[in-house]
Amino acid sequence: KITLIPVGAMTNIATVLRIDPTVAENIEEIVCMGGGINVHNRSFRSETNFYNDPEAAKIMLDSGVKVTVVTLDATHGSWFGYEEVDKMRQIGTKEADFAADMLYHRIYAANLTGARAEKKSALHDVLAVCAVIDPTILTDVRHETCDIDIGGGIGDGALMVSSRYKYSKPEKPTYI
């Protein structure tokens, strides 16, 4: 069995699961960055990865595969600045230098508008990758019923979370 870490919209995963639902039997877990509970970046209630293809996100959540959703709330709890870039460079390997360069440019680009008081940036899809490498970095994991708004209105692509028993599905996706 494999663990999938999609970045961006869940379109490819949903397409495969629709073509051949038995593929789900070979997936141990899907860990993705998507959605937001209190933090949103694309519309009134949605985050970009889910907003770009909300039907795909819903297919993924409803697939029966164990899903861990690393929300925008979680990624906004992991801000990095130029001091982290310097620490990475001190490691002294080409891999660390590459990662430091990527982080530097991410911070620089995210701050071009001057809208932030501090020169830092959140790392979004990267947190999902890190969570697979070391699950202990996720410190507030909740097992809740999750769904995606696919109604086409202002909430399209919104991650909806409920801990109410009457809405619970037998296998609850996880969100962070």
Side-chain angles (χ1 to χ4, degrees), residues 28-133:
E28 183 75 31
E29 181 178 13
I30 299 170
V31 180
C32 69
M33 188 276 135
I37 308 303
N38 297 306
V39 181
H40 314 97
N41 65 358
R42 183 62 186 264
S43 74
F44 165 67
R45 294 285 302 160
S46 66
E47 172 279 330
T48 300
N49 290 350
F50 285 1
Y51 179 87
N52 285 343
D53 194 343
E55 291 85 1
K58 183 168 179 50
I59 290 166
M60 177 191 65
L61 287 178
D62 291 345
S63 70
V65 173
K66 178 184 176 188
V67 176
T68 299
V69 178
V70 179
T71 65
L72 202 59
D73 308 73
T75 66
H76 276 241
S78 61
W79 289 82
F80 294 85
Y82 293 121
E83 59 276 4
E84 283 80 20
V85 170
D86 292 338
K87 287 178 186 177
M88 291 174 84
R89 289 197 197 290
Q90 291 172 9
I91 294 170
T93 64
K94 64 182 178 181
E95 295 84 3
D97 287 344
F98 174 76
D101 287 344
M102 297 293 288
L103 180 55
Y104 175 88
H105 291 292
R106 167 70 183 159
I107 295 165
Y108 177 78
N111 288 281
L112 277 177
T113 63
R116 294 192 172 119
E118 293 184 69
K119 299 295 183 200
K120 293 189 174 212
S121 181
L123 300 179
H124 303 292
D125 297 86
V126 173
L127 189 57
V129 175
C130 292
V132 171
I133 295 168

Side-chain angles (χ1 to χ4, degrees), residues 11 107 165 169:
T11 307
I107 295 165
Y165 177 75
K169 298 176 186 176

